[in-house]
Amino acid sequence: MKNTTFLIMLLFLTTKICWSQSLEYQQKKASKIEKSSVFTQIINGELKATIVYEDEDIIAFVPLRLQAPVHLLIVPKKEVHTINDISEEDTLLLGKLFLVAKKLAKEQGISETGYRLSMNINEDAGQSVFHLHMHLLGGKTLGPMVTQED
């Protein structure tokens, strides 16, 4: 029985270490969350941005580093750090993000040729701003989302 308990604990600890965020990332994340996000500063008018859409719930703007000919960030005004932090009450807000993406894709002339919607959540996905946001990417043939393995 002791060996079984020990093995279960060892497995739990090993899994926790292998599948959790690095300490460095956790510290950066906590520090950024403590401050007002860049997106909140844009929403509040404290930072300038090229805004392409805004209503009472959502703002969309051109990011500083374009990754495609059409690249927009669609951001809820409510500050939610990651998808892991959403709740049932955010259901309509999340649906609205997709409706705004659809509208902007059409306005940008990429709704028929194709576009990608992407959200990065935490370390392995490269999330660096801890305010939920959706990338709208298009205007060219986009490569695979991740490296394809044979």
Side-chain angles (χ1 to χ4, degrees):
M1 186 66 168
K2 284 184 181 182
N3 286 342
T4 304
T5 303
F6 174 74
L7 287 174
I8 291 171
M9 289 299 292
L10 184 61
L11 180 62
F12 173 76
L13 291 173
T14 304
T15 304
K16 184 74 172 153
I17 291 167
C18 293
W19 294 102
S20 64
Q21 299 168 6
S22 70
L23 182 58
E24 179 184 358
Y25 185 82
Q26 289 177 49
Q27 290 169 341
K28 275 187 194 175
K29 181 178 177 180
S31 174
K32 287 183 176 187
I33 287 173
E34 191 176 307
K35 301 173 192 166
S36 178
S37 82
V38 149
F39 298 161
T40 298
Q41 292 173 30
I42 290 170
I43 291 163
N44 293 338
E46 298 164 11
L47 287 177
K48 296 208 181 296
T50 303
I51 297 171
V52 296
Y53 177 89
E54 184 171 13
D55 67 23
E56 64 278 354
D57 300 313
I58 308 283
I59 189 167
F61 51 89
V62 178
L64 293 177
R65 286 170 278 193
L66 296 178
Q67 297 173 8
V70 175
H71 185 179
L72 301 174
L73 296 177
I74 305 167
V75 183
K77 289 184 175 179
K78 176 183 178 183
E79 191 169 308
V80 178
H81 300 126
T82 75
I83 285 288
N84 297 335
D85 300 308
I86 63 172
S87 67
E88 290 284 328
E89 73 180 35
D90 298 318
T91 302
L92 291 175
L93 181 63
L94 293 172
K96 193 168 184 181
L97 281 176
F98 285 93
L99 291 173
V100 170
K102 172 187 162 185
K103 174 185 181 348
L104 293 173
K106 185 171 179 132
E107 288 176 3
Q108 296 290 319
I110 61 172
S111 63
E112 296 303 317
T113 57
Y115 57 96
R116 177 173 294 154
L117 298 175
S118 175
M119 292 181 160
N120 300 322
I121 294 88
N122 285 325
E123 187 171 21
D124 284 352
Q127 184 179 8
S128 60
V129 177
F130 297 97
H131 187 138
L132 187 71
H133 58 286
M134 177 185 287
H135 295 259
L136 169 64
L137 301 153
K140 71 175 188 176
T141 301
L142 301 172
M145 290 181 51
V146 295
T147 303
Q148 302 293 313
E149 296 182 22
D150 294 326

